[in-house]
Amino acid sequence: MLLKIRHSLGVIIIIVAISMLVWGEWQFPREVKIFPVNFPEIQLSENNINNGSITAANSTQNLIPTPWHLEENPGKTSESLNYQLIIDAPSKVRVGDSEIIRLDLVSNFSEVEGKSTADQKEEIQSSAIIGLPIISIYNILVETRLDLDGILFSPAGDVIKSFRPGQIVRFYWTIEPEREGVFQGMLWLHSQYVSKDGNVIRKLLSTQKIECSAIGFFGLSSDFARLLGSLGFFVGLAFELDLIICFISKTNSNKGKPSHA
């Protein structure tokens, strides 16, 4: 009777231990969301250059962004959308583990038909760097900030990178939940136009909600669950040691018996 109880307990411990180990190593799916971004000044410059509607003599004067341009509704998308915001975030994070939230600001090259991706990138980059008057007038920066209460993340505060039309601008945040729960926050994206004399014109490009679900194994963190899972697996094997030895002995004895035709 006690032997049956011990074997049953050993099987239960092994099953629970394996569940902990599987949960501790399971790769949860990630969520990728794509949003349009209205970059009116850059888009205006690119469109005018591509269409040939602005001459070299007066293009600089016509394309200088004014406060009126930079106060447009960030949610309003122009008809010739050229940029997208891609947010790649984990759907779930184990308590005690760390994960990455990635944000990309990319050009939408699909509008140029009949050309390969490499040709599209090359054309957009050349026209952007050589032909855009706004580049020679302003140093363009992209500013982001992640606000996520109740969870550890880095870097905190504003993160600023330079922006060149036609190139990908990428940001990373590392998040590490300390407790279970659903945490909500906001991801902010601004553009900055810095003139040669140091004046800065700042514009809100996009705001997106961020939601993070932190989970534990019945209240246990990931590291503790992995540790208990490893210990529990060997404890369960110890409870079943006599059965394991018996199985090995029978296997060896069967191998030693001669086979009869």
Side-chain angles (χ1 to χ4, degrees):
M1 182 66 179
L2 291 178
L3 187 61
K4 289 183 178 180
I5 294 176
R6 178 164 61 84
H7 288 320
S8 300
L9 185 59
V11 171
I12 293 174
I13 292 175
I14 290 175
I15 292 175
V16 174
I18 292 176
S19 301
M20 287 183 175
L21 293 175
V22 170
W23 175 85
E25 299 300 328
W26 187 264
Q27 297 295 322
F28 296 108
R30 299 180 65 85
E31 296 180 351
V32 178
K33 299 179 180 179
I34 301 177
F35 305 95
V37 175
N38 188 22
F39 236 127
E41 296 77 30
I42 303 299
Q43 290 169 356
L44 176 63
S45 301
E46 289 178 352
N47 294 335
N48 287 330
I49 288 171
N50 293 334
N51 297 332
S53 59
I54 294 183
T55 63
N58 61 8
S59 60
T60 301
Q61 181 179 358
N62 292 337
L63 293 179
I64 296 177
T66 63
W68 182 83
H69 285 122
L70 298 177
E71 291 174 0
E72 292 180 2
N73 184 357
K76 182 180 179 181
T77 306
S78 66
E79 295 180 357
S80 56
L81 179 65
N82 289 329
Y83 293 92
Q84 292 178 335
L85 183 67
I86 304 175
I87 300 176
D88 183 353
S91 58
K92 296 179 181 178
V93 184
R94 283 180 289 267
V95 175
D97 280 0
S98 61
E99 276 288 356
I100 298 293
I101 296 177
R102 192 182 77 188
L103 181 149
D104 291 340
L105 180 62
V106 301
S107 295
N108 183 10
F109 300 112
S110 60
E111 294 181 1
V112 183
E113 298 179 355
K115 298 182 180 180
S116 64
T117 304
D119 294 337
Q120 295 171 20
K121 289 182 180 179
E122 184 177 354
E123 177 179 322
I124 292 178
Q125 287 177 356
S126 342
S127 66
I129 295 174
I130 298 176
L132 290 184
I134 194 173
I135 300 298
S136 61
I137 301 172
Y138 289 90
N139 180 24
I140 306 177
L141 306 175
V142 176
E143 171 194 329
T144 63
R145 186 178 76 253
L146 177 63
D147 292 333
L148 198 57
D149 294 332
I151 190 171
L152 294 177
F153 67 92
S154 64
D158 296 333
V159 182
I160 301 175
K161 290 188 177 182
S162 62
F163 174 81
R164 302 289 288 179
Q167 296 181 351
I168 296 177
V169 183
R170 179 165 293 173
F171 299 89
Y172 291 97
W173 290 269
T174 302
I175 59 174
E176 186 174 350
E178 295 181 311
R179 59 183 177 86
E180 296 182 49
V182 178
F183 305 94
Q184 296 181 340
M186 296 293 294
L187 202 157
W188 305 82
L189 180 70
H190 290 82
S191 63
Q192 292 187 13
Y193 296 86
V194 184
S195 62
K196 293 181 179 179
D197 57 3
N199 292 327
V200 179
I201 302 174
R202 190 167 177 263
K203 177 195 171 183
L204 177 63
L205 293 178
S206 179
T207 57
Q208 301 299 333
K209 292 183 179 179
I210 294 292
E211 184 173 289
C212 176
S213 297
I215 60 174
F217 191 89
F218 295 101
L220 301 178
S221 66
S222 58
D223 292 337
F224 200 44
R226 294 187 190 103
L227 177 61
L228 285 183
S230 301
L231 294 176
F233 182 76
F234 289 106
V235 170
L237 289 180
F239 278 27
E240 306 295 334
L241 187 59
D242 55 340
L243 290 180
I244 297 174
I245 294 175
C246 181
F247 175 77
I248 295 175
S249 299
K250 285 185 178 181
T251 303
N252 291 335
S253 63
N254 291 334
K255 288 182 179 179
K257 291 180 181 180
S259 60
H260 299 280

